[in-house]
Structures are given as structure tokens and as C-alpha cells.
Amino acid sequence: MKIGILGSGKMGGGLGKVWAERGHSVMFSFTLEHDNLKTLADSLKPNACVGTPREAADFGDVIFFAPQWAQVEEALMQAGPLTGKIVIECVNAVKPDLSGPLLSAGTSASEEIARMAIGARVLKAFNTIPASHIDAHPPFMRGQTETVFYCGDDNEAKAVTARLIRDAGFDAVDAGPLKSARCLESLSLLLIELIVFQKVAPDAAVKLLY
Amino acid sequence: MKIGILGSGKMGGGLGKVWAERGHSVMFSFTLEHDNLKTLADSLKPNACVGTPREAADFGDVIFFAPQWAQVEEALMQAGPLTGKIVIECVNAVKPDLSGPLLSAGTSASEEIARMAIGARVLKAFNTIPASHIDAHPPFMRGQTETVFYCGDDNEAKAVTARLIRDAGFDAVDAGPLKSARCLESLSLLLIELIVFQKVAPDAAVKLLY
């Protein structure tokens, strides 16, 4: 699968690396650390390269969209039209001090991104997974497979997303329509509370038992 | 420990039974099925009995508060003052068709109950556990221990709550202040979506890996 990465920080860089290692073709873009990204892409040849956001958007059958919330509009503007594209995003709109959500309850980062990226098939996934868990092979926590929830309104796009989640080594669980992103973003706030404020553990993740 | 149960349906009845079996003294109250409750209490003698809501509120060092959201005000009115009491509640304020939350994002059932139950030390726990999981001995799901998150603003009350969660056979995880109930109630909505609408499984639960 051809995957364009918009936002190649820890999450975008880490997942792009894993997908390239699994045989997908990845184009990284939109990063503050261009030299590091070039080194990463070179180490993954011929399955990875670096491009501009617009090149990555054109390249990908699937776009993995992982900028910070504050960079969402800029990333979309640089990418240009995403009509018809499968856009998997992992954005959490959280206050800079991590104390709570930036958006009101009646929406979610996913729904706002879908509103801005006209015609794109937007899905949420990976927003509850710490970036540090991505690069483990396989990404086990206490010997167990973590759950990646995904949601969206397009069934074909959801099937592709589930496959990419499994390719990255996680259990993929369908959380329903894009509106469920409200619950998934709230779950990321719960994990922030547990890890950052309650210090339950330096690292924690959710496994759905079913 | 003396535990007064306000709301003795599946959750209150089930947890009261487990706690009585573990040696705690339980008084059940506030149910629509009084005869069934009497039979349950008789089967747990001498550790359980049935009383009025006011008797249960007076009896308990700890109150387990488990009415439906629509019955919260009535249950509190019948209980009378709860000043100084540890009140562990598991209420989810969900629309009757289960399609979403009844409360706006800026609050939670827990915070509303704390506002109504003047002077009580309110905590949230058990709101993400299906009642059917309570009565398993021990409550394993796929051979694993489920997580019960709890939150509240009183440290002594939280220590008591953690003990009662462990006595019921679950892993107790401190989710911080009562305000975290917003995330815990959202997590119950996610589980409803997974179980009822996506039919991921007839039964599902969360385990925190840490």
C-alpha cells in the first residue's frame, strides 16, 4: 500500500517506519526535523522517501495524518486537496498543560478535521497509543497485545485501517462511526491523567478484553 | 466494613453479594424487586439485610450508590443527609436509546451527584464494568483481571474504595480527581458502542496494561 505521512514526528515517523518494514511504500512529510527524517527514510530504502506535504498527499492511497493539533490547518493547507483519500489521523486536541480537552463535548478533533479536509474519508486510530510503543517489535506491553481502536464513516476505509493497524502489530477494534472519536479522544485524556498526573506507571496502555 | 447499598439492582445487588461473601456487612435498599432482594439478603445471612434507603444511609460507613440516573434525585431524597459519608457511585447518565451522553461535556454524573449530596465524599468506580461480570468468582474475562478505575477528591475515601474494588476481585487503578469521571463516563459510552452497536462481542471489558 502507498502511504503518505503528513506529520512525521514520533507517531508519524514511528508508524511509517513500521509500515515500510512490513513492505508498504511510505513517503514522509511535514516535520520540524528534516535531517533526521532523511536519515530514517534512507535506512528504509527502497520502501521510504521524503517529500513535501503535497507530494505525500498525491503519493498516498492512504494518508496518515499526525501533526500536533495546532498544526492541523497548516498541514492541510500544505497538503492541498484530499478528496476521496483515506485519511487516518491520531490527533488529540489537548490543552498545552495537558489538563483537559481543547474542544467542547459536541465535537472531536476527528470531526473538525473531516470538516476541514473536504471530501476526504477521515478515520481516527492510534490516538491512545504512546509513540514509544510503536517501535517495539511486536508492540507488546507486559507481554500482551495492545488495542488500537478505530472509527470512521466509510466501511472500505475502515477495512484498510484495520489492516494497517494489524500490520503494525496491534489488535484492531472497530469503535463505530467517526463520532466515536469523542470517546477515543476522552480515553487519551484518561491515559494522560493516569501516566502524567497519577503516575500509575511511566507507561500504560489499554487492552480490550472480549 | 459496613456498606449501605442505595440502588440494589444488578450492580448494587451483585456487588453487595460479593462484598457480603468477603465478610463485609451489607444493607440493601432502593430496589424495584423487593422480594428478590429479601431472598438474596437471606442467602447471605448474617452479613446482609434489607432496609429503607435512610436506614442503609445510616448503616453504612460506605454507601454504594447505584440507582439509574433518572432515579438519582429520588434515591438521595429518600436517603436523607449523607454528610461525611464515603459515597461510591457507578452512575452513567446515558440517553435511553444509549446513543450518547445526557450531560454536557463540562460536567459528569459524579460531579452532579456530589453537588446534590451535600457534604458527602463522592467517588466514581465500577461504571465501566458490566453487571454480569461482577458475580464471576473471580471476575476474570478471557483469563485476565479487569480494571476498575476510581476517582474522587478525598484520599482517605479513595483508599477505602481501592480496597473494596480489590475485595471484589478487580484491579484498582486511581484515575485522579472526581473530574476524571468525565473520562470514565465517556469510556462507558465507548464500551456501549462496542458491545451494543458494533457487536464486537456480547461482552467486553477494559484492562489497563502498566
Side-chain angles (χ1 to χ4, degrees), chain A residues 105 141-142 144 149 173-177 180 183 186 189-191 193-194 198 200-201 203-210, chain B residues 105 141-142 144 149 173-177 180 183 186 189-191 193-194 198 200-201 203-210:
Chain A
M141 178 81 185
R142 306 272 169 224
Q144 304 210 49
F149 300 102
V173 171
D174 184 349
S180 294
C183 292
S186 178
L189 285 173
L190 176 61
L191 288 164
E193 177 68 36
L194 297 174
Q198 299 309 313
V200 165
D203 230 3
V206 163
K207 180 186 178 70
L208 187 74
L209 306 175
Y210 61 101
Chain B
M141 177 82 185
R142 306 270 169 224
Q144 306 210 48
F149 300 101
V173 171
D174 184 350
S180 294
C183 292
S186 178
L189 286 172
L190 176 61
L191 288 164
E193 177 68 36
L194 297 174
Q198 299 309 314
V200 166
D203 231 2
V206 165
K207 179 185 178 72
L208 186 75
L209 306 175
Y210 61 102

